[in-house]
């Protein structure tokens, strides 16, 4: 998934207050303390993988490991590079994509090995891109089995279907996500297009977005974050988030400046950081959003600045995320005061 966001340069420590908007941000621990932290958390991540560049597990595993999570990852596909379009000055794609796809039988064998050896003990599950219906159905079987073993296992589902009005996965995945997998999830993070497909709504306005979020809450999903695609402007983007639990409902509108450029894999980083920060904040959605977006903005800013240097030399240059170079920002984000969070 793509997630376009950036906070422009601003003096560190600058603080703004907006009427009705929260701008609180607890100082993060220093990097040494963060790296020394020990957890007993294990994640099963089932997503795509690329040899070169960043998408799927190549994006998600590093942030999780930086924060001390053990990660067992299964690659739904293993490709030479991603198949997405990068936009900076002009849309650019790799000329070819080669590799292998895991099928449902392969996935079943891998999980059977984990189960037989009694090493399928996880505290978290994260799922992303899947390009095959039977494979997705097998994922649902795995999630159900893990939930039966441990009802408290925390499942974050990124229902990757498409973006900007078009599918880039088979449409046959939709009913599996909608009717089977999403009701098992604790957190769902679609973009506006995916939310619309999952709920049968045209999600182009805030009202439609909130209605779609309510539909997912009705399926039992406690936390929904709509990452992009609702009422954006030339200068700003918005995401919406909602948490429903024990009869209480907390909703947020998050507004932040737009950065020129669109890069593959940012949605996968976002989902991983959301998992991390929801655990660290004990489910505090507002605090989690601020930390995740602060990390994302630093990552995209660094990527955008690098992309500018590349395309000045070669307009057709492919621009990959500067994930490794941004590892400190992933671990210990610095607050960006231009993130405006309104409680609805």
């Amino acid at each position: 998934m793509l997630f376009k966001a950036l906070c422009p340069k601003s003096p560190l420590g600058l603080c703004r207050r907006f009427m009705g908007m929260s701008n609180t941000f607890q100082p993060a621990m220093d990097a040494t303390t963060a790296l020394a932290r020990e957890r007993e958390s294990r994640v099963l991540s089932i997503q795509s993988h690329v040899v070169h560049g960043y998408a799927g597990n190549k994006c998600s595993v590093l942030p999780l490991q930086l924060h001390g999570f053990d990660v067992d990852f299964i690659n739904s596909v293993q490709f030479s590079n991603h198949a997405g379009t990068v936009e900076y000055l002009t849309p650019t794609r790799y000329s070819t994509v080669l590799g292998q796809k895991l099928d449902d039988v392969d996935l079943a064998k891998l999980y059977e090995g984990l189960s037989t050896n009694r090493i399928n003990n996880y505290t978290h599950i994260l799922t992303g891109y899947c390009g095959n219906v039977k494979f997705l159905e097998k994922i649902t079987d795995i999630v159900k089995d893990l939930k039966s073993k441990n009802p408290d296992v925390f499942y974050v589902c990124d229902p990757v279907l498409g973006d900007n009005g078009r599918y880039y996965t088979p449409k046959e995945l939709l009913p599996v996500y909608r009717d089977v997998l999403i009701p098992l999830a604790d957190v769902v993070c679609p973009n506006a297009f995916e939310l619309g497909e999952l709920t049968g709504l045209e999600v182009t306005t805030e009202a439609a977005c909130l209605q779609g979020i309510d539909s997912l809450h009705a399926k039992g999903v406690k936390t929904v974050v709509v990452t992009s695609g609702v009422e954006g402007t030339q200068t700003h983007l918005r995401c919406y988030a909602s948490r429903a639990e024990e009869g209480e409902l907390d909703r947020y509108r998050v507004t932040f400046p737009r950065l020129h450029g669109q890069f593959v894999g940012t949605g996968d980083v976002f989902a991983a950081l959301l998992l991390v920060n929801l655990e660290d904040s004990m489910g505090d959605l507002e605090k989690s959003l601020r930390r995740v977006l602060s990390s994302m903005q630093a990552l995209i800013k660094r990527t955008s600045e690098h992309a500018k240097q590349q395309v000045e030399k070669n307009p057709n240059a492919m621009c990959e995320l500067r994930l490794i170079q941004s590892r400190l920002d992933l671990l210990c984000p610095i607050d960006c005061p231009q993130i405006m969070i309104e409680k609805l």
Side-chain angles (χ1 to χ4, degrees):
M1 292 175 66
L2 301 177
F3 188 92
K4 299 172 285 184
L6 183 76
C7 171
K9 290 183 179 179
S10 61
L12 297 183
L14 181 64
C15 180
R16 293 185 178 182
R17 299 285 178 183
F18 298 87
M19 184 66 67
M21 299 178 182
S22 173
N23 203 34
T24 59
F25 187 84
Q26 297 297 321
M29 64 182 73
D30 64 81
T32 301
T33 303
L35 288 172
R37 182 178 182 181
E38 295 185 7
R39 297 181 191 263
E40 296 301 326
S41 299
R42 295 185 63 219
V43 183
L44 177 64
S45 179
I46 306 176
Q47 302 188 61
S48 61
H49 173 76
V50 291
V51 176
H52 173 80
Y54 293 96
N57 274 328
K58 193 77 174 287
C59 289
S60 298
V61 172
L62 175 65
L64 291 167
Q65 290 177 331
L66 277 174
H67 282 273
F69 289 79
D70 272 326
V71 188
D72 291 353
F73 53 95
I74 297 175
N75 300 324
S76 58
V77 300
Q78 177 168 273
F79 289 155
S80 55
N81 45 271
H82 65 66
T85 299
V86 171
E87 294 187 20
Y88 192 77
L89 293 180
T90 58
T92 308
R93 296 172 63 94
Y94 287 109
S95 60
T96 189
V97 179
L98 298 176
Q100 303 82 34
K101 298 180 180 180
L102 213 65
D103 63 23
D104 59 303
V105 176
D106 297 324
L107 178 58
K109 287 181 179 178
L110 287 173
Y111 187 70
E112 181 183 357
L114 296 172
S115 181
T116 300
N117 288 304
R118 298 182 180 180
I119 50 177
N120 58 335
N121 302 308
Y122 299 102
T123 57
H124 297 75
I125 310 167
L126 175 62
T127 62
Y129 175 85
C130 170
N132 178 278
V133 173
K134 289 188 177 297
F135 191 92
L136 189 61
E137 290 174 343
K138 183 53 62 177
I139 288 177
T140 66
D141 292 340
I142 291 172
V143 174
K144 287 179 179 178
D145 185 63
L146 292 174
K147 287 272 189 179
S148 68
K149 282 170 53 65
N150 175 17
D152 294 326
V153 67
F154 192 77
Y155 175 33
V156 177
C157 175
D158 182 358
V160 181
L161 294 171
D163 201 359
N164 298 316
R166 68 177 184 86
Y167 277 82
Y168 44 73
T169 60
K171 289 186 178 181
E172 291 77 15
L173 297 179
L174 173 61
V176 182
Y177 273 121
R178 182 190 61 210
D179 301 330
V180 186
L181 198 54
I182 282 178
L184 298 172
D186 297 279
V187 179
V188 177
C189 45
N191 59 39
F193 170 74
E194 292 160 345
L195 179 64
E197 294 300 296
L198 291 168
T199 60
L201 300 169
E202 185 178 357
V203 181
T204 57
T205 65
E206 179 177 292
C209 180
L210 296 178
Q211 184 180 352
I213 288 173
D214 286 341
S215 296
L216 297 189
H217 282 323
K219 292 179 178 291
V221 182
K222 292 180 180 178
T223 301
V224 181
V225 179
V226 182
T227 58
S228 62
V230 184
E231 295 188 339
T233 69
Q234 291 297 317
T235 59
H236 288 80
L237 294 167
R238 278 184 176 170
C239 72
Y240 289 85
S242 180
R243 181 177 175 85
E245 189 172 15
E246 298 179 353
E248 295 186 4
L249 181 65
D250 292 321
R251 295 187 185 280
Y252 300 96
R253 177 197 297 128
V254 188
T255 306
F256 43 90
R258 179 195 293 267
L259 171 70
H260 178 66
Q262 183 169 305
F263 307 101
V264 173
T266 46
D268 304 317
V269 181
F270 183 94
L273 289 174
L274 185 62
L275 184 157
V276 168
N277 284 282
L278 283 172
E279 171 161 304
D280 284 351
S281 68
M282 299 182 67
D284 187 321
L285 185 54
E286 180 180 0
K287 183 184 296 184
S288 297
L289 288 169
R290 184 166 292 282
R291 288 190 178 279
V292 171
L293 286 169
S294 293
S295 290
M296 294 303 303
Q297 290 158 357
L299 168 63
I300 299 171
K301 177 185 176 187
R302 185 171 285 103
T303 302
S304 181
E305 290 175 346
H306 181 70
K308 183 176 185 295
Q309 296 173 4
Q310 283 189 287
V311 299
E312 285 175 350
K313 300 175 183 177
N314 176 11
N316 295 319
M318 284 297 299
C319 303
E320 296 283 354
L321 286 178
R322 303 289 281 176
L323 193 71
I324 302 301
Q325 296 79 2
S326 302
R327 58 196 182 278
L328 182 59
D329 299 303
L330 302 176
L331 182 63
C332 299
I334 296 174
D335 183 28
C336 174
Q338 283 83 0
I339 299 171
M340 298 176 286
I341 303 180
E342 301 172 83
K343 189 168 184 179
L344 301 178

